[in-house]
Amino acid sequence: MSRVIHVFRQPDRFVAGTVGEPGDRTFYLQASEDVRTISVTIEKQQVVVLAERLTSLLEEVASRFGADVPDDAPDELLDVDPLTVPVEEEFRVGTMGLGWDAESKAVVIELLAMTEGEVDETVVLDDTEEGPDAVRVFLSPGAARAFAERADRVVNAGRKPCPLCAEPLDPAGHICPRQNGYRRDVDVLED
């Protein structure tokens, strides 16, 4: 069966979002263009890495190619709305690719489906017939900056860190390794 590549050349929306309560959230990336919406499941750490790498890529593109890259996301591109429902997973992201398309002056993000074996890196950002399914999104530098800012907000909207060990606190407290295993209640830490 040949691979399916979902291409979004001028997406109306490309966002990171979650479903579930802090501590039990599932992370998604969602791309929409016209009436088509695709959602892929992604690990929290992958969202963090994607946002960091996007920011680095934008800085490099501005310095090497002289591209017009805003320092902050333009207000009109900031997206605070929840994910479009129903959220139906197309696939779980395994490999991610990131690039710059000089012709269209756009950041290209490619998300490849998780596979059992290793992914040959030549299929990333390529239209070969063989390889895992993919979502390819083209973003203007401003939209890429807005995506990265929202991704940071989504990741940081989870559980508060313990002030002693920085591990996430559960609503019922947590067993802190810095306290030799004694349970710390959230109320005690908030005083």
Side-chain angles (χ1 to χ4, degrees):
M1 188 162 100
S2 65
R3 78 192 281 216
V4 176
I5 302 174
H6 304 277
V7 179
F8 294 85
R9 291 210 175 269
Q10 296 181 329
D12 302 318
R13 186 173 197 221
F14 180 63
V15 295
T18 62
V19 173
E21 294 297 317
D24 192 28
R25 298 186 294 171
T26 302
F27 286 78
Y28 291 93
L29 295 181
Q30 195 173 69
S32 301
E33 189 172 17
D34 298 324
V35 297
R36 182 174 58 132
T37 298
I38 298 288
S39 302
V40 294
T41 308
I42 189 166
E43 294 296 324
K44 178 180 180 179
Q45 193 57 40
Q46 288 175 300
V47 176
V48 170
V49 169
L50 182 57
E52 288 173 353
R53 298 283 166 86
L54 258 177
T55 301
S56 297
L57 178 69
L58 290 171
E59 291 168 8
E60 186 175 335
V61 162
S63 67
R64 285 182 58 192
F65 301 108
D68 184 23
V69 176
D71 292 333
D72 295 311
D75 289 341
E76 67 273 7
L77 295 178
L78 290 176
D79 187 335
V80 295
D81 294 334
L83 295 173
T84 304
V85 292
V87 179
E88 297 175 355
E89 174 187 315
E90 186 73 21
F91 58 78
R92 178 172 289 280
V93 174
T95 303
M96 299 183 295
L98 197 56
W100 174 252
D101 182 10
E103 186 178 312
S104 64
K105 293 186 174 35
V107 172
V108 183
I109 300 169
E110 184 158 288
L111 310 162
L112 281 74
M114 186 175 283
T115 60
E116 290 188 20
E118 264 190 50
V119 174
D120 181 359
E121 64 186 47
T122 61
V123 303
V124 180
L125 300 172
D126 195 12
D127 293 333
T128 59
E129 288 289 320
E130 297 299 317
D133 290 351
V135 172
R136 187 177 299 150
V137 181
F138 291 75
L139 297 175
S140 69
R145 183 77 74 195
F147 171 86
E149 286 184 21
R150 177 184 169 124
D152 286 340
R153 281 195 317 274
V154 167
V155 166
N156 293 317
R159 298 174 288 173
K160 293 180 183 176
C162 172
L164 300 174
C165 69
E167 292 294 317
L169 285 172
D170 291 321
H174 87 129
I175 298 174
C176 181
R178 300 274 315 266
Q179 292 294 312
N180 292 327
Y182 288 100
R183 178 175 285 280
R184 298 290 307 232
D185 291 328
V186 174
D187 296 338
V188 173
L189 298 174
E190 291 178 352
D191 289 337

